Amino acid sequence: MLVYGMGPFQRLLQIIDSTAARAVWLAQWLALPIVALLFLQWPLRDLFKSFSREANDLGQVLFAVYITVAVTAATRAGTHLAADVIAKRYGRKTRRLLFRLGIAFGALPWALLILTAGAGIVIPSASGLERFPDTFNPGYFIIKLALWILAVLMLMQAALNLIRPDVKDSE
Amino acid sequence: MEWMGLGLLVMVAMGIVFTGLPALLVLLTVSVCGAAIGVASGTIPFALLSALPGRLINLFENDLLQALPLYVLMGVLLDRMPIADALYRAGLAILPRGPAAAPVSGMMLGALIGPMSGSVGASVLAMTRIVAPRLSASGIPAPTRFAVVAVASTLGVVIPPSLVLILLGDAMLSAHTMAVTASGRADRVINTQDVFHGALVPAAIMLVFCLLVAWRAGRNIQIESSSQQKTTLTGAQAILAGISVLSLVTLLGGIAAGQFYAVEAAAMGATVLLVTGIVFGHLRLKALDEILRDTMAVTGALFALLLAATTLTLVLRTFGTDRLIGNWITSIPGNDIVVMTVVLAAIGICAFVLDAFEIIFVVIPIVVPPLLVRVADARWVAVLILLTLQISFLLPPLGYALMMVRGNFKENISFSALARAFSPFLLAQWVVLAIVLCAPQLVHIGEKAADTSRTPLVPLSDQEINRRFEQMMPKLPEPD
């Protein structure tokens, strides 16, 4: 957990940080039902001849939520693929500057674009509680809503990485 | 403005190499800058960018991509459980005693855990932890240890079912759909199962070659008998190794026989490992928490790359760069082998600066659709690309396996010593690539006649093919 000063701005950063951390921790457990549901598809389809579509739909919903949070989890854990054969010779300040430039001109505008351009897809789907088109099972809107979860979490993490003072070089 | 897209691709390569930033940030920054230039210059209508959210949602819905966390989870579980150790010891137990036994057993372990772990990164971790210290204890010199661990970690790429193979299968499906529609052929569109089946024989040849090279590398090493550490195999380890091999054979057999899909096979593997870990007490709540945290972090890194590459591909298409590359590919003179050689060489050049995952997500969607218009044998194309990707994992400076092993090895090894240790393995890989290039029938063994490519009754003109490609490009949203 990062420790910030007592100012309201720092407190806001701390809230954003802990919210993102909590979201990542909660979402990591979704891997277990995803494994179970995808594993069950085969016996449900071939042995019991029922509920395999339901298992598939629920698996899709959980996968969409899991994967959107996972992107922020990777950023926080510093596991994004990177090649630092040359950049490892750069100083800490240079690397931090490059990282912040990448956030400011890459991740931040991209997340904003997704948030704004996705509104036309996400809002009607969520407000109408859209169902799966093939099976009419409920919950399809969550897959579309996951796009906004992705964008919001990326925005939160981008803000943290731009502002907080102790960004690691490995990030 | 088609050339603008090529400039963006060069920027991606330079950005990845010179900034050291995560590929995600480089791809997003280049995409945003490219889109901004396109919009500012009037080349790209801003409304066209609204196609992006829909494309990203398509990724969330993709059944095949659900295999991503499953494979990563299997890899992390294998690294935490004593299965790899048991398999390595079992390999040593069945091989004749001698200096070659350790590298050969290490190579066999790579072939066994590669398909189970699914990812090269997970294989490198397991191989570095299990095999490297034992090779060292057996007196195997550092460059050979390095080469054996790195090459063995990439065997899972070509041995189905692997994560790279699944992702390539998905990219091939999209590319082949576009090519079949554009060319008017009456082909059945290739799927991941086809790539699995096609890769089986080349993978077997590759494995035999790598085992031979490992055996030869070990045989030539002079080791004092006192430096050879005795590795014992307990009864429990023998049972665990037997169950693991049986599970792998079941997994492979089930997929090959079409009993279940790759995603289901991955889910079965992950379930078996989870249950085994819980039953044998390896997975307490704290350990499970760490495993799931690592799984999510690695899965997120791979999926983020896919999201960023989807964005870049959209920008490149709006610039018309894919048409430019398509025209180049369709104008390459010569037969299928010549065309394939040129394209594989281009992918090989990309592999110097891009990782295999980046190649699958960024390069394949642009290069392969026009390639498949020109070269009808999609299964052959897929397997050749797969073999090239395996080589790319070992190419400096960005070869993923190479980088990971270098990061995990503490010794400083000279480049010339490394080159000597690696060259026989790389030569073996190039030989397999050449064999498959010259003998396409190797990837069609057991294939139904109905699944082969059929040319259209009336050959289409280049203009007609381009027109059909145009129709498949992202549509400009209607103005309000």
Side-chain angles (χ1 to χ4, degrees):
Chain A
M1 175 70 72
L2 290 168
V3 178
Y4 300 102
M6 294 301 290
F9 186 65
Q10 281 78 10
R11 188 164 291 180
L12 177 68
L13 286 179
Q14 194 172 15
I15 290 169
I16 292 173
D17 188 44
S18 59
T19 306
R22 185 63 59 88
V24 166
W25 186 81
L26 284 173
Q28 75 179 24
W29 297 93
L30 289 177
L32 295 176
I34 290 171
V35 169
L37 286 165
L38 294 176
F39 168 66
L40 284 172
Q41 272 190 61
W42 172 60
L44 287 173
R45 186 187 62 235
D46 288 352
L47 300 177
F48 297 99
K49 315 271 185 207
S50 57
F51 295 115
S52 71
R53 301 294 295 272
E54 281 70 20
N56 185 48
D57 288 349
L58 184 55
Q60 268 194 1
V61 169
L62 296 182
F63 172 75
V65 176
Y66 178 83
I67 212 76
T68 50
V69 183
V71 175
T72 297
T75 306
R76 294 177 68 84
T79 52
H80 287 300
L81 292 179
D84 65 348
V85 177
I86 293 170
K88 68 181 175 189
R89 298 172 200 156
Y90 302 164
R92 187 178 167 81
K93 277 186 179 175
T94 310
R95 297 198 70 174
R96 192 182 296 172
L97 177 69
L98 284 170
F99 181 69
R100 285 180 172 167
L101 285 174
I103 296 284
F105 292 101
L108 207 60
W110 185 84
L112 284 170
L113 174 71
I114 295 304
L115 213 53
T116 50
I121 297 176
V122 176
I123 292 172
S125 175
S127 58
L129 300 178
E130 189 178 3
R131 289 168 173 262
F132 280 86
D134 299 333
T135 58
F136 301 108
N137 287 322
Y140 185 66
F141 69 95
I142 299 172
I143 293 177
K144 292 187 173 174
L145 201 58
L147 189 73
W148 268 13
I149 298 174
L150 169 79
V152 168
L153 282 173
M154 276 188 77
L155 276 176
M156 286 165 65
Q157 195 59 44
L160 280 174
N161 289 337
L162 272 178
I163 299 164
R164 69 182 180 185
D166 53 346
V167 177
K168 291 176 191 168
D169 275 357
S170 61
E171 287 177 323
Chain B
M1 289 292 273
E2 294 97 338
W3 291 88
M4 180 71 198
L6 290 179
L8 294 181
L9 284 173
V10 173
M11 280 170 67
V12 167
M14 305 260 289
I16 287 175
V17 172
F18 290 110
T19 66
L21 284 175
L24 166 76
L25 281 186
V26 175
L27 287 167
L28 289 183
T29 306
V30 170
S31 303
V32 167
C33 292
I37 292 169
V39 170
S41 65
T43 313
I44 304 177
F46 185 76
L48 200 56
L49 296 176
S50 63
L52 183 60
R55 287 177 164 229
L56 299 182
I57 289 171
N58 286 344
L59 298 178
F60 300 162
E61 292 182 87
N62 189 320
D63 282 339
L64 211 53
L65 291 177
Q66 291 172 359
L68 256 177
L70 305 180
Y71 275 106
V72 176
L73 178 61
M74 275 202 289
V76 178
L77 283 167
L78 274 174
D79 189 47
R80 299 288 181 113
M81 290 164 63
I83 293 172
D85 186 40
L87 285 168
Y88 179 75
R89 286 167 184 268
L92 279 185
I94 58 169
L95 288 168
R97 284 187 180 278
V104 171
S105 183
M107 202 58 75
M108 283 164 56
L109 179 65
L112 283 169
I113 67 167
M116 281 198 281
S117 70
S119 80
V120 171
S123 296
V124 169
L125 286 178
M127 296 290 294
T128 309
R129 192 173 54 79
I130 304 297
V131 179
R134 288 178 173 80
L135 289 180
S136 177
S138 302
I140 306 292
T144 309
R145 287 204 304 273
F146 192 105
V148 168
V149 168
V151 174
S153 303
T154 65
L155 284 176
V157 174
V158 285
I159 299 175
S162 75
L163 187 57
V164 172
L165 206 148
I166 283 183
L167 295 174
L168 178 66
D170 186 50
M172 287 298 298
L173 188 145
S174 306
H176 199 206
T177 304
M178 289 180 77
V180 166
T181 311
S183 62
R185 287 197 303 266
D187 297 355
R188 182 177 65 76
V189 172
I190 193 171
N191 58 33
T192 307
Q193 302 287 102
D194 297 318
V195 184
F196 279 1
H197 291 148
L200 278 173
V201 174
I205 299 171
M206 174 73 78
L207 180 59
V208 170
F209 278 20
C210 286
L211 287 173
L212 283 173
V213 174
W215 171 75
R216 194 172 173 276
R219 193 194 59 168
N220 291 341
I221 293 166
Q222 299 297 318
I223 299 171
E224 291 175 23
S225 58
S226 59
S227 70
Q228 288 194 46
Q229 192 189 59
K230 196 173 179 218
T231 309
T232 54
L233 177 72
T234 64
Q237 285 171 331
I239 292 169
L240 191 58
I243 291 171
S244 304
V245 173
L246 196 68
S247 302
L248 180 64
V249 171
T250 311
L251 213 76
L252 265 174
I255 293 172
Q259 285 297 308
F260 36 75
Y261 298 111
V263 177
E264 293 167 351
M268 275 178 217
T271 305
V272 168
L273 284 174
L274 275 171
V275 171
T276 309
I278 290 167
V279 168
F280 286 95
H282 295 296
L283 291 182
R284 306 265 181 239
L285 196 61
K286 186 172 177 296
L288 192 61
D289 185 16
E290 288 171 3
I291 284 169
L292 294 179
R293 188 191 61 208
D294 290 351
T295 301
M296 193 176 214
V298 176
T299 305
L302 292 174
F303 199 79
L305 213 50
L306 186 53
L307 295 172
T310 303
T311 309
L312 181 68
T313 310
L314 178 70
V315 174
L316 294 181
R317 289 205 163 132
T318 54
F319 277 123
T321 310
D322 55 330
R323 284 194 298 274
L324 181 71
I325 294 172
N327 288 339
W328 285 351
I329 290 173
T330 47
S331 62
I332 297 171
N335 61 14
D336 286 359
I337 292 178
V338 175
V339 177
M340 268 317 294
T341 307
V342 172
V343 173
L344 289 178
I347 292 175
I349 290 168
C350 292
F352 278 103
V353 288
L354 297 179
D355 177 70
F357 296 113
E358 290 152 15
I359 291 175
I360 291 175
F361 298 146
V362 178
V363 179
I364 302 292
I366 296 167
V367 171
V368 175
L371 174 67
L372 290 175
V373 170
R374 183 74 194 275
V375 180
D377 191 345
R379 201 188 263 224
W380 182 56
V381 169
V383 174
L384 284 170
I385 291 173
L386 195 64
L387 291 168
T388 310
L389 290 178
Q390 193 215 358
I391 295 170
S392 80
F393 274 112
L394 297 166
L395 283 180
L398 275 184
Y400 187 53
L402 205 63
M403 278 175 54
M404 280 203 73
V405 178
R406 282 177 81 167
N408 286 305
F409 268 61
K410 303 297 172 211
E411 294 108 316
N412 260 333
I413 307 167
S414 70
F415 182 77
S416 58
L418 266 183
R420 273 197 303 277
F422 264 96
S423 52
F425 289 107
L426 287 172
L427 184 67
Q429 289 180 325
W430 287 107
V431 168
V432 177
L433 186 67
I435 290 172
V436 178
L437 190 64
C438 297
Q441 60 272 26
L442 278 177
V443 305
H444 293 289
I445 294 170
E447 187 185 14
K448 292 172 192 164
D451 291 345
T452 53
S453 176
R454 290 185 294 281
T455 49
L457 293 173
V458 182
L460 298 176
S461 64
D462 286 350
Q463 288 80 6
E464 176 59 14
I465 287 173
N466 282 337
R467 191 188 66 76
R468 291 189 183 194
F469 265 129
E470 288 279 348
Q471 284 181 337
M472 283 178 280
M473 295 302 136
K475 299 284 184 296
L476 183 69
E478 292 294 326
D480 295 329

